[in-house]
Amino acid sequence: MKSKFSKSMILMLAVCVSLAGCATKSSEPATEQVPNEKPAVEESTAFEGKYLVNTDYVKENASNENVLLIDARGEDVAKEGTIEGSIALKWQMISDVNGKTGDEMWGTILPPAELSEKLSGFGISKDKEIIVFGAAQNGWGDEGRIVWELCLAGFENVKMVDGGFDALASAGLNVVNVAMAPTPAEVVITELNNEHNINTEALKAGYDSFKVVDTRTDVEYEGKTLYGEANGGHLPGAILIKYTDLFNEDGLLKSNADIEAMFIAEGINKEDKVVTYCTAGIRSAYMELVLEMCGFENSLNYDESFYRWSAVNELEK
């Protein structure tokens, strides 16, 4: 009896060990059973678009003789530090700033003949790749305004720098205390392409068909006059999406997805006709380009902007 009992115990122990071994094998992670599975790739958060380049691109191409760098902050600021090889140009130099703010067409792009003369003097020709940098989130969007104006003039190879001057300097591009003297060239502009531009008359006539975006600050939107505006407030029903809302804390643009989501959250969709404005059409020109690059193809910059509207039309506060 004792012998039979011992044999039975040994047999039972063997079965238990065998079952435990099978249980251990079946609990192995599924990933080990799929050796060819690739890890997930993180989606890029860098903004991308046809009017934008990053600092790496500028470093690689700045010395190319077919590339023209423009410091949109102007000559006075350039004396405090600019990127070597850049010319200095303020948006006002290629805009009609005769008369006073609020006058009809004040601050708008020059007509073709005058624009041709100005661009010729600065050597800004269509056979070059034009790269414009400014102060990014710390400025007024001057680089965007210049790029937007050159697009109106028929330039196709024109871009602005993500992060502006600060990003270029941090990336190690050589900083000097004087802008380069421009080399004149013959530039002829015969007409302007106003596909992404709108004036006061057209905006007023079709107002109800547009989603109007105010790119200024909270205090301007709420009625404070800071820059000689005729009256304070905002255009009727305007949606406040500030120029500075486009940027991350590091001064670079937010991702395309984040910017798209920001506009959609405010009830603005890609099929809508969108009009951007600011005080003089500068911040709003930058935002119009960003909207284009995000797929809002029916976007327009109101370049007479708040200066003109506040002088001749009703406002909300």
Side-chain angles (χ1 to χ4, degrees):
M1 291 293 292
K2 185 176 180 181
S3 175
K4 288 182 179 179
F5 178 78
S6 298
K7 289 180 179 179
S8 297
M9 289 296 293
I10 292 170
L11 181 60
M12 289 177 66
L13 286 170
V15 171
C16 289
V17 169
S18 177
L19 289 172
C22 291
T24 301
K25 289 180 181 177
S26 65
S27 63
E28 290 177 353
T31 52
E32 295 187 14
Q33 306 299 318
V34 190
N36 295 325
E37 184 177 340
K38 295 181 180 179
V41 179
E42 290 187 10
E43 188 175 333
S44 173
T45 57
F47 188 95
E48 297 179 349
K50 64 179 180 179
Y51 301 123
L52 195 78
V53 293
N54 59 25
T55 55
D56 288 340
Y57 184 91
V58 180
K59 288 178 75 172
E60 293 171 7
N61 295 279
S63 60
N64 188 321
E65 63 180 9
N66 293 318
V67 170
L68 178 64
L69 291 178
I70 298 178
D71 188 339
R73 301 171 304 158
E75 192 170 3
D76 290 341
V77 177
K79 290 177 182 178
E80 300 172 7
T82 189
I83 302 303
E84 185 176 21
S86 304
I87 67 168
L89 174 74
K90 297 185 76 171
W91 68 269
Q92 292 94 330
M93 294 176 175
I94 54 175
S95 303
D96 183 356
V97 290
N98 292 317
K100 63 181 186 299
T101 58
D103 287 349
E104 184 177 5
M105 299 302 287
W106 187 93
T108 60
I109 189 171
L110 290 170
E114 294 177 60
L115 185 62
S116 298
E117 184 178 351
K118 288 287 186 179
L119 295 178
S120 294
F122 283 99
I124 303 174
S125 57
K126 294 180 181 179
D127 61 345
K128 291 185 178 295
E129 179 177 14
I130 312 297
I131 299 177
V132 190
F133 63 89
Q137 88 283 8
N138 295 318
W140 298 98
D142 304 72
E143 61 268 54
R145 171 60 186 241
I146 290 176
V147 169
W148 179 80
E149 288 186 295
L150 291 177
C151 288
L152 262 65
F155 284 69
E156 296 181 356
N157 198 6
V158 55
K159 302 173 180 69
M160 53 191 181
V161 180
D162 195 10
F165 170 76
D166 288 345
L168 292 171
S170 296
L173 277 88
N174 195 30
V175 175
V176 295
N177 292 323
V178 60
M180 183 179 73
T183 302
E186 185 176 354
V187 181
V188 178
I189 307 299
T190 57
E191 61 181 357
L192 299 176
N193 177 3
N194 287 299
E195 181 183 1
H196 294 285
N197 184 24
I198 190 168
N199 61 27
T200 303
E201 183 180 352
L203 176 57
K204 186 175 181 179
Y207 200 88
D208 291 341
S209 66
F210 299 112
K211 295 286 183 70
V212 179
V213 177
D214 189 324
T215 71
R216 301 175 301 159
T217 61
D218 293 284
V219 294
E220 291 173 279
Y221 183 85
E222 292 163 2
K224 193 162 187 177
T225 55
L226 302 175
Y227 310 109
E229 304 93 321
N231 293 289
H234 54 266
L235 273 64
I239 301 165
L240 178 63
I241 301 178
K242 295 174 286 188
Y243 164 73
T244 52
D245 289 339
L246 298 174
F247 299 91
N248 291 308
E249 290 183 2
D250 61 4
L252 300 178
L253 281 167
K254 294 176 180 177
S255 70
N256 300 65
D258 285 345
I259 292 175
E260 288 172 27
M262 180 168 59
F263 279 85
I264 291 171
E266 294 293 342
I268 301 170
N269 298 306
K270 291 186 178 181
E271 63 270 18
D272 291 329
K273 292 190 290 185
V274 185
V275 173
T276 59
Y277 77 90
C278 60
T279 310
I282 315 308
R283 291 169 282 186
S284 55
Y286 193 109
M287 186 176 285
E288 191 282 319
L289 293 176
V290 169
L291 281 169
E292 273 191 71
M293 290 187 283
C294 285
F296 295 80
E297 297 179 0
N298 298 318
S299 55
L300 304 160
N301 177 37
Y302 174 31
D303 63 344
E304 285 183 291
S305 252
F306 194 76
Y307 271 141
R308 181 61 180 169
W309 190 275
S310 67
V312 296
N313 290 305
E314 293 182 359
L315 300 167
E316 288 182 350
K317 290 187 181 179

